Amino acid sequence: MPIATVNPATGQTLRTFEPFGPEVVERCLGDAATAFAAYRTTSFAERAELLNRAAALLEEDIEDVARTMTLEMGKPIGSARAEAAKCVKAMRWYAAHAEELLRDELPAAADVRDSGASAVRAHYRPLGPVLAVMPWNFPLWQVVRFAAPALMAGNTGLLKHASNVPQTALYLGELFHRAGYPRGCFQTLLIESGAVAGVLRDPRVAAATLTGSEPAGRAVASVAGDEVKKTVLELGGSDPYVVMPSADVAAAARTAVTARVQNNGQSCIAAKRFIVHEDVYDEFAERFTAGMAALTVGDPMEESTEVGPLATEKGRTDLEELVDDAVEHGATVMCGGRRPERPEHGWFYEPTVLADITDVMRVDQEETFGPVATLYRVAGLDEAVERANHTPFGLSSNVWTRREEDVARFVRDLQAGGIFVNGMTASHPALPFGGVKRSGYGRELSGHGIREFCNITTVWQAAERS
């Protein structure tokens, strides 16, 4: 894929960029290593001052950067503004809390004595330059949720962003430079996917984080494993949204629409499989389908638009193939299921609900990355749990019920990195984020996220001998 801004609402190529050559990449790697040698010794107060400056600049730039994101990947402009504001919040949160999150940990006094020491502590030290391979769907947020904790821990960052959001990628590099970070602390690498392995194998790169597809995660993890380097992977998801008989069905259906089509349906943590108890299935299906059918599809720059285009032409083609396969195998199209008739040549797809899903359909096991929902009818709690776990993924999950017994069962048995009860999945700086199974490993955000790229060092001091 060329490095280019292609407006997904029109299919028009707006700008193209030449990838960095070997000399430029080498310079960036050298700058990252040189910067780390000095930056790792800065205080938390110094790092917080820099990060707060970056947050203030981003806050001033929200309108411009939101328009850039919308032009590059098609999210509604209101969602783009909200994404930028969320990044500001996360940056300020880590600036305020990093020192506390990385405070030395002290074992119990009895354990200190038993170890033969006068003092013992676990100390957190930064690892070094970290390579971040990031996706296009949340082109600002995915980067900031890595960069803010990594920089506050004393690491430096190298960003390889998706090839279809180069202007957002370049903006991020400039943002940290404008905030006053020393040269090399955070750099954007305009490189193609084939160049990632060479950067990761460079001995100056200490670790890597990737958010993206399962194949991309496998590729990065394979190279990192061969080099014995730490990785954090956040991959795909096919999150269940379970509705039990005691639920507020109207609220569940209303929230389900937002949960499915957030970011034009292109979100790993969007609810995708709607698993509904037979006692409330008909009511939920009717309300949910009506809500999906009523959504306004259109130009993402228009304030009234609720669902914009898919980010890439291939993304729409992949989605169409999943829907067509389901229909060929007997799925019922409750609404949507086709491209809307529009004068422009963008990559739009109607909000779609599919029912009567069976195990032979690809959509049952593969992620639908777009505004397509699947409906399942279940007879009870056991079947709901079984169906929820019936995919290779385990990112997040949603459960609607008023029975605490149901909640306890889902918390015990759902195979997911998050369980959201009577609401939709969302991320917050204070909450750990990540998945299990083929959704990846490691955690972002919270204290868990900032400690992922730290050398957890045991410091043991001998007891004085008389």
Side-chain angles (χ1 to χ4, degrees):
M1 175 185 288
I3 300 177
T5 296
V6 181
N7 185 348
T10 64
Q12 179 185 5
T13 299
L14 304 178
R15 289 187 66 184
T16 59
F17 298 82
E18 285 296 318
F20 288 179
E23 301 84 2
V24 177
V25 173
E26 170 60 29
R27 185 173 69 244
C28 291
L29 288 167
D31 287 348
T34 299
F36 174 67
Y39 183 69
R40 64 186 293 273
T41 66
T42 57
S43 67
F44 284 108
E46 291 171 300
R47 297 173 200 167
E49 183 179 358
L50 290 168
L51 192 58
N52 277 323
R53 275 191 218 147
L57 289 170
L58 176 55
E59 193 168 44
E60 293 174 4
D61 295 344
I62 277 181
E63 192 61 35
D64 287 341
V65 75
R67 290 184 65 83
T68 298
M69 285 192 284
T70 296
L71 274 176
E72 291 201 304
M73 59 71 56
K75 69 171 73 239
I77 187 66
S79 297
R81 291 191 196 101
E83 179 176 338
K86 185 175 185 178
C87 292
V88 172
K89 176 180 180 179
M91 294 161 87
R92 288 174 172 156
W93 189 88
Y94 270 110
H97 294 283
E99 184 171 12
E100 175 189 356
L101 296 172
L102 295 180
R103 182 171 292 137
D104 286 355
E105 293 184 17
L106 307 177
D111 292 326
V112 174
R113 290 192 300 271
D114 190 55
S115 75
S118 61
V120 179
R121 69 187 188 276
H123 182 65
Y124 294 97
R125 295 186 292 168
L127 288 180
V130 180
L131 173 64
V133 182
M134 293 288 118
W136 46 260
N137 57 335
F138 291 97
L140 208 67
W141 169 243
Q142 305 279 18
V143 177
V144 167
R145 78 182 189 190
F146 145 74
L151 289 168
M152 282 305 301
N155 297 296
T156 57
L158 294 160
L159 169 63
K160 191 285 180 211
H161 218 324
S163 293
N164 60 325
V165 290
Q167 294 187 68
T168 306
L170 290 169
Y171 169 81
L172 283 157
E174 284 298 314
L175 174 68
F176 291 106
H177 173 72
R178 288 162 54 207
Y181 279 87
R183 174 174 172 167
C185 275
F186 188 92
Q187 301 171 88
T188 291
L189 302 179
L190 282 188
I191 58 175
E192 296 169 318
S193 297
V196 169
V199 173
L200 183 50
R201 287 190 185 279
D202 190 284
R204 290 165 291 191
V205 174
T209 180
L210 177 140
T211 298
S213 68
E214 186 181 336
R218 287 178 182 275
V220 165
S222 176
V223 173
D226 191 48
E227 296 291 335
V228 197
K229 293 182 179 181
K230 173 72 178 289
T231 54
V232 170
L233 302 181
E234 193 263 279
L235 308 179
S238 188
D239 291 2
Y241 189 102
V242 183
V243 184
M244 298 300 289
S246 65
D248 180 336
V249 177
R254 188 168 55 249
T255 304
V257 174
T258 303
R260 176 63 286 236
V261 302
Q262 58 175 308
N263 207 46
N264 302 339
Q266 300 165 122
S267 170
C268 296
I269 58 169
K272 298 181 177 78
R273 297 176 299 124
F274 296 82
I275 300 163
V276 187
H277 193 281
E278 60 186 7
D279 290 354
V280 292
Y281 178 90
D282 290 340
E283 180 186 356
F284 178 88
E286 180 180 357
R287 290 178 179 273
F288 178 52
T289 301
M292 290 284 282
L295 290 166
T296 300
V297 179
D299 181 350
M301 287 295 184
E302 294 290 336
E303 300 290 345
S304 60
T305 293
E306 296 170 292
V307 179
L310 277 295
T312 66
E313 187 172 18
K314 185 180 185 302
R316 183 175 66 176
T317 300
D318 291 345
L319 193 67
E320 287 176 319
E321 290 176 356
L322 286 176
V323 173
D324 291 346
D325 173 80
V327 172
E328 288 171 9
H329 287 90
T332 300
V333 179
M334 306 288 283
C335 70
R338 62 180 185 270
R339 303 179 184 186
E341 295 181 4
R342 301 188 59 81
E344 62 267 47
H345 300 288
W347 302 310
F348 295 89
Y349 196 78
E350 291 183 349
T352 299
V353 179
L354 302 176
D356 303 313
I357 306 300
T358 63
D359 293 356
V360 301
M361 301 170 188
R362 289 176 53 200
V363 75
D364 182 62
Q365 290 293 298
E366 298 180 32
E367 182 178 20
T368 51
F369 218 59
V372 174
T374 53
L375 274 174
Y376 296 83
R377 185 194 301 261
V378 294
L381 182 57
D382 290 344
E383 188 179 355
V385 171
E386 181 182 2
R387 176 56 63 182
N389 290 336
H390 184 64
T391 74
F393 302 106
L395 193 52
S396 190
S397 60
N398 310 260
V399 174
W400 286 74
T401 179
R402 291 188 175 106
R403 298 181 71 246
E404 285 302 319
E405 302 95 317
D406 291 352
V407 174
R409 174 69 186 282
F410 285 120
V411 168
R412 188 190 75 181
D413 290 343
L414 286 185
Q415 297 166 358
I419 300 169
F420 286 72
V421 181
N422 296 330
M424 60 179 274
T425 299
S427 54
H428 184 281
L431 307 179
F433 180 84
V436 294
K437 301 197 291 187
R438 292 190 180 180
S439 288
Y441 53 75
R443 291 295 180 265
E444 296 179 290
L445 302 177
S446 75
H448 297 279
I450 197 172
R451 290 189 284 267
E452 285 283 7
F453 294 115
C454 287
N455 174 2
I456 305 171
T457 308
T458 298
V459 181
W460 182 96
Q461 294 176 249
E464 295 183 5
R465 300 182 183 277
S466 56

